[in-house]
């Protein structure tokens, strides 16, 4: 049994991971989270206080981080500014958290010789053409597009440098687009589901031909836990579930599942520098770690996600109006 420090554990994937760890292992967990707009304490409600605690703090605060890392057997690092659209309107928090925050954690795990897992994204590779037969692999060169993805790319490179130069025992994972419960309503799938529930029309950027490679957050959690247990120090693992779909198809599926006309949405202004397509080749991760995605029926996963948002209005409704007001300001 170990004690894990999980950064960003009050966000979407982090909170799913905390529940996964408490369910699947005997580990105890401390979450370090700054409780930004993206966090929700309700995502961690009802967890066993004997095995779980929340510390509100900044991963760029070296004093707080040093204490918590010193008390942990391993650190799993999810904390980030995570939304591309926000990074276009105000990049600074992305530099602060994704770069300086990751640097601060790395210095602490270096001092304490603590096992570290860094959670990253496939967006570090840039984008692919629609008809390109290739997918991202561990060898794909980094070519990030947005302030979000470039700060994530920078954080990955910091981790690699701390492994090579200082012998830090770290692993990395680059995962594709996650969906599932507890995702902030600023993101594509929850935004559209809650728009329908809230009585406004869904919003599609441009023509919606952009492709994302969807994976359920529960599958991502299982992969991260497996890497923590069996990953080779210094290695990068690509995590994906062969879930490529264009945005138009996803939106039409949501509308159909919710009993609406599939054309009942608005086209809005496209995202600046909008990446066309992401696609992960996760063959090596599956072969080496024996991890397999379980939520491979996307429509079933989406239906369960629709049901979750319909049944948890108290979780998302308090932030819905402010999120939509922010989008309205930029014509999206
Ligand atoms: P999220 O925005 O839902 O949650 C991020 C959490 O980090 C929030 O709880 C926030 O309060 C916290 N945080 C932000 N700045 C902090 C700081 N300075 N100190 C402490 N805590 C801070 O993000 P998410 O979608 O759950 O993503 C989690 C991680 O997974 C990120 O590193 C992201 O890059 C990566 N990732 C996300 C996806 C995806 O599809 N969402 C895919 C691949 C990788
Ligand atoms: O209202 C919308 N309409 C729309 O068409 C929104 C919010 C998005 N989109 C499009 C843009 C993207 O092509 O949907 C797609 C998905 O958008 P996001 O949910 O913002 O995700 P994306 O930009 O692909 O990034 C996500 O996956 C990789 C996460 O937010 C990142 O944290 C992760 O690294």
């Amino acid at each position: 049994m170990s004690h894990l420090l999980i950064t960003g554990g009050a966000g979407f994937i982090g909170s799913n991971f905390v529940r996964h760890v408490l369910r699947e292992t005997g580990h105890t967990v401390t979450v370090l989270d700054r409780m930004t707009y993206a966090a929700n304490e309700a995502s961690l409600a009802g967890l066993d206080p004997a095995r779980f605690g929340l510390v509100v703090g900044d991963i760029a605060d070296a004093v707080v981080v040093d204490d918590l890392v010193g008390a942990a057997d391993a650190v799993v690092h999810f904390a980030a500014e995570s939304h591309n659209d926000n990074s276009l309107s105000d990049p600074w928090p992305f530099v602060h958290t994704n770069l300086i925050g990751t640097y601060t954690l790395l210095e602490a795990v270096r001092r304490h010789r603590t096992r570290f897992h860094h959670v990253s994204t496939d967006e570090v590779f840039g984008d692919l053409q629609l008809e390109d037969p290739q997918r991202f692999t561990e060898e794909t060169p980094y070519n990030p597009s947005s302030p979000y993805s470039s700060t994530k790319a920078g954080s990955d490179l910091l981790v690699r440098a701390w492994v090579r130069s200082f012998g830090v025992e770290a692993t990395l994972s680059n995962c594709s687009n996650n969906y599932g419960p507890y995702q902030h309503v600023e993101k594509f799938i929850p935004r559209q589901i809650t728009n329908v529930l809230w009585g406004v029309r869904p919003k599609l950027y441009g023509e919606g031909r952009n492709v994302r490679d969807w994976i359920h957050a529960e599958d991502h959690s299982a992969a991260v836990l497996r890497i923590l247990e069996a990953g080779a120090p210094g290695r990068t693992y690509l995590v994906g579930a062969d879930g490529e779909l264009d945005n138009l198809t996803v939106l039409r599926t949501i509308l159909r599942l919710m009993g609406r006309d599939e054309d009942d949405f608005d086209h809005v202004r496209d995202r600046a520098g909008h990446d066309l397509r992401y696609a992960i080749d996760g063959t090596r991760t599956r072969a080496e770690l024996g991890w397999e995605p379980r939520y491979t029926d996307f429509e079933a996963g989406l239906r369960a996600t629709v049901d979750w948002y319909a049944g948890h209005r108290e979780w998302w409704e308090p932030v819905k109006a402010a999120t939509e007001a922010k989008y309205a300001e930029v014509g999206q």
Side-chain angles (χ1 to χ4, degrees), residues 82 84 121 123 148 188 191 203 205 212 247 271 274:
S82 70
N84 276 296
T121 168
E123 297 194 19
Y148 163 66
F188 180 56
R191 185 182 185 202
K203 308 279 187 269
Y205 293 174
R212 296 294 182 264
N247 294 339
R271 175 182 285 171
H274 197 171

Side-chain angles (χ1 to χ4, degrees), residues 193-247:
I193 294 171
T194 56
N195 273 1
V196 174
L197 294 170
W198 209 48
V200 303
R201 283 161 69 86
K203 308 279 187 269
L204 187 68
Y205 293 174
E207 293 306 312
R209 294 181 68 229
N210 307 62
V211 170
R212 296 294 182 264
D213 187 357
W214 294 100
I215 181 172
H216 196 281
E218 189 57 29
D219 281 333
H220 187 187
S221 288
V224 169
L225 186 58
R226 182 80 192 124
I227 295 166
L228 199 62
E229 287 166 345
R235 281 287 306 279
T236 289
Y237 296 91
L238 262 57
V239 178
D242 303 326
E244 281 189 71
L245 286 169
D246 67 46
N247 294 339

Side-chain angles (χ1 to χ4, degrees), residues 85-103:
D85 291 321
N86 292 342
S87 82
L88 298 168
S89 51
D90 184 12
W92 164 244
F94 292 75
V95 172
H96 171 83
T97 292
N98 301 356
L99 288 172
I100 300 172
T102 301
Y103 157 80

Side-chain angles (χ1 to χ4, degrees), residues 40 42 184-185 198 312-323:
N40 191 334
H184 194 281
V185 295
W198 209 48
H312 292 81
R313 291 187 81 107
E314 76 295 343
W315 184 88
W316 58 266
E317 215 155 23
V319 299
K320 181 66 180 168
T323 304

Side-chain angles (χ1 to χ4, degrees), residues 7-16 31-40 55-61 77-83 93 96-98 101 118-123 148 152 155 173-179 182-184 186-187 214-215 220 239:
T7 72
F12 164 45
I13 306 173
S15 64
N16 277 287
V31 163
L32 172 61
D33 198 299
R34 194 184 185 179
M35 303 307 287
T36 70
Y37 81 94
N40 191 334
V55 174
V56 177
D58 189 337
I59 57 163
D61 179 337
H77 175 33
F78 289 93
E81 285 292 334
S82 70
H83 194 36
H96 171 83
T97 292
N98 301 356
H118 178 66
V119 178
S120 192
T121 168
D122 58 0
E123 297 194 19
Y148 163 66
K152 289 299 291 188
S155 68
S173 54
N174 297 89
C175 186
S176 59
N177 280 61
N178 284 223
Y179 76 100
Y182 301 99
Q183 187 170 28
H184 194 281
E186 70 187 354
K187 302 296 197 311
W214 294 100
I215 181 172
H220 187 187
V239 178

